[in-house]
């Protein structure tokens, strides 16, 4: 099983572990993270590589930072309380926020190295762009499906759709006016009047 394989790798006590695309372990609850983290922690040294270690939120850095520098990041609660501006919700704590970013930045500089494309541009080959024209045989299912899509699009009356949207917008405005100005009146009659007007316009 995956768990047995991971346990056997932990026992190897690797001197160096290199984890590419390390952002895949950003979710601490994921099975992948729970299997890989002990392997990294058991090694003498590790290097985590990623173009996007965190997309937007500090909590996405927790698992990566904690396996690289457990001496700096040894408590998930402390990390989230300090850097994630936690909020209480009816469904539990929300850690999608951010706080104390200057402090987090200083701590990350102890072990995180960032390289921009312009810094290593001389090592990259020139970009090459090509237009590749693909032919789809009329005998294939894909061609038949594509033809059907175009036929459907050509059959759609956009004028009628826009007209329907205009009617819907007008009816919505009438409903808002009805809700605000018919308090204390015979609401059912006023509502029926709006419905009848809408039906007559459709006819």
């Amino acid at each position: 099983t995956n768990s047995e394989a991971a346990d056997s790798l932990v026992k190897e006590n690797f001197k160096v572990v290199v984890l590419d695309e390390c952002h895949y372990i950003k979710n601490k609850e994921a099975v992948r993270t729970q299997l890989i983290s002990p392997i990294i922690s058991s090694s003498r040294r590790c290097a985590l590589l990623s173009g996007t270690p965190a997309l937007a939120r500090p909590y996405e850095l927790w698992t990566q930072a904690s396996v690289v520098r457990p001496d700096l990041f040894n408590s998930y609660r402390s990390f989230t309380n300090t850097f994630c501006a936690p909020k209480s919700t009816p469904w539990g704590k929300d850690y999608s926020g951010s706080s104390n970013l200057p402090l987090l930045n200083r701590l990350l500089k102890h072990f995180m190295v960032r390289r921009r494309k312009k810094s290593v541009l001389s090592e990259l080959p020139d970009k090459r762009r090509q237009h590749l024209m693909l032919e789809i045989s009329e005998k294939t299912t894909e061609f038949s499906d594509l033809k059907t899509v175009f036929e459907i699009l050509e059959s759609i009356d956009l004028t009628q759709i826009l007209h329907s949207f205009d009617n819907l917008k007008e009816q919505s405005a009438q409903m808002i006016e009805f809700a605000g100005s018919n308090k204390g009146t015979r609401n059912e009659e006023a509502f029926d009047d709006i419905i009848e007007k809408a039906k007559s316009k459709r006819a």
Side-chain angles (χ1 to χ4, degrees):
T1 64
N2 290 337
S3 179
E4 292 173 345
D7 290 340
S8 66
L9 291 174
V10 170
K11 294 176 183 178
E12 292 291 333
N13 293 316
F14 294 110
K15 292 182 179 180
V16 179
V17 170
V18 178
L19 179 62
D20 195 13
E21 305 294 348
C22 62
H23 52 269
Y24 283 117
I25 66 168
K26 67 182 181 181
N27 182 357
K28 74 183 187 70
E29 304 296 338
V31 174
R32 177 194 292 113
T33 304
Q34 295 175 6
L35 293 177
I36 293 177
S37 294
I39 300 173
I40 301 172
S41 299
S42 66
S43 65
R44 291 179 59 185
R45 292 181 174 84
C46 64
L48 275 59
L49 311 176
S50 175
T52 52
L55 294 178
R57 303 174 179 88
Y59 83 84
E60 296 177 347
L61 289 170
W62 160 251
T63 51
Q64 301 165 74
S66 64
V67 295
V68 176
R69 290 297 301 268
D71 55 326
L72 294 177
F73 303 97
N74 53 25
S75 169
Y76 177 73
R77 176 176 293 182
S78 175
F79 181 89
T80 52
N81 285 340
T82 304
F83 302 115
C84 301
K87 297 179 181 178
S88 296
T89 72
W91 305 274
K93 287 285 188 178
D94 176 11
Y95 297 111
S96 62
S98 62
S99 53
N100 299 307
L101 295 184
L103 173 60
L104 178 60
N105 185 49
R106 289 199 299 272
L107 291 174
L108 292 176
K109 285 183 177 179
H110 284 281
F111 60 91
M112 187 174 181
V113 179
R114 185 181 184 186
R115 290 288 181 264
R116 296 177 180 269
K117 185 184 291 184
K118 64 181 181 181
S119 302
V120 294
L121 190 60
S122 60
E123 302 174 17
L124 299 176
D126 293 333
K127 289 183 178 180
R128 294 189 302 171
R129 292 183 172 88
Q130 290 179 271
H131 290 286
L132 300 178
M133 304 302 295
L134 303 178
E135 294 185 4
I136 303 178
S137 172
E138 295 185 11
K139 297 180 180 180
T140 62
T141 303
E142 289 80 4
F143 181 84
S144 177
D145 292 342
L146 190 60
K147 184 179 179 181
T148 301
V149 170
F150 277 112
E151 290 175 349
I152 293 174
L153 290 175
E154 289 178 351
S155 66
I156 294 176
D157 186 351
L158 294 179
T159 303
Q160 182 62 37
I161 293 176
L162 293 175
H163 182 66
S164 298
F165 276 122
D166 288 338
N167 286 340
L168 179 60
K169 183 170 67 174
E170 183 178 345
Q171 292 168 29
S172 300
Q174 290 176 348
M175 290 295 293
I176 294 172
E177 182 180 357
F178 158 74
S181 62
N182 285 285
K183 296 178 180 179
T185 63
R186 302 185 62 181
N187 290 342
E188 292 184 4
E189 292 182 4
F191 184 78
D192 289 340
D193 183 55
I194 293 174
I195 298 299
E196 290 301 323
K197 287 181 178 178
K199 289 181 178 180
S200 63
K201 288 184 178 180
R202 288 183 182 177

